[in-house]
Amino acid sequence: MDARLDYFASPTAGKALKHFMSAGRTLKESALPAATQELVALRVSQINGCAACIDMHTKEAAAAGETPVRLNLLVAWREATVFTGAERAALALAEEATRLADAGHGVSDEVWAHATEHYDEDQLTALVVLVSFMNAVNRLNVVTRQPAGSYEVGRAH
């Protein structure tokens, strides 16, 4: 499969994505746990069907020590016993924030309250921005059919 656009060859994309990816690096440095960030990025990408991001975040998570069991069960995290309460809260928020049109209500008060039990305001801010960031990146990649499978760990950061 060939990408519809080559972002690296486009001067416009180069200028815009330089700043956009800088935001992604800022999130990496936030107080939100790195494992939670990778799980959320991967789950949002699964929902949106972004193969390039699934490739990237699966490999980044594995390189950071994430287990194959947790990576394989992420798609069914509600039924899996391998995720912490905090991770579950983050994943629930990520799913509702990604499926805005499906839910019709945005993020529910219940899901938000559960997240506030596990994360402080700075971490919640990072989580919300991360979910929004991943949804945007997924759309950039899905619309232009960016191929998956050749991502090398550390390349995007």
Side-chain angles (χ1 to χ4, degrees):
M1 178 168 94
D2 293 325
R4 290 175 168 165
L5 292 176
D6 181 354
Y7 291 129
F8 297 106
S10 166
T12 299
K15 289 177 188 175
L17 294 178
K18 173 184 171 185
H19 299 289
F20 197 68
M21 296 314 287
S22 176
R25 284 189 295 279
T26 299
L27 290 169
K28 287 282 186 196
E29 299 165 2
S30 75
L32 188 64
T36 301
Q37 289 188 43
E38 288 300 335
L39 291 173
V40 164
L42 180 54
R43 184 65 191 125
V44 169
S45 300
Q46 289 172 337
I47 292 167
N48 289 325
C50 182
C53 290
I54 293 168
D55 182 32
M56 174 183 162
H57 291 288
T58 299
K59 290 173 180 174
E60 289 288 348
E66 195 57 73
T67 68
V69 170
R70 284 169 44 97
L71 290 174
N72 291 329
L73 288 174
L74 183 59
V75 71
W77 64 268
R78 283 180 179 81
E79 294 79 27
T81 60
V82 296
F83 300 102
T84 68
E87 290 166 341
R88 290 173 175 286
L91 291 167
L93 191 149
E95 285 195 5
E96 284 196 5
T98 297
R99 293 182 164 141
L100 292 175
D102 297 341
H105 58 71
V107 174
S108 68
D109 291 339
E110 178 184 353
V111 165
W112 184 260
H114 188 58
T116 64
E117 293 172 12
H118 297 280
Y119 300 103
D120 64 27
E121 188 169 326
D122 188 51
Q123 291 170 317
L124 284 169
T125 299
L127 179 58
V128 170
V129 173
L130 173 62
V131 171
S132 300
F133 176 82
M134 286 309 306
N135 275 286
V137 171
N138 290 166
R139 279 148 181 79
L140 286 166
N141 288 335
V142 170
V143 168
T144 61
R145 294 186 179 163
Q146 296 298 313
S150 62
Y151 178 78
E152 296 174 14
V153 172
R155 189 172 75 193
H157 304 293

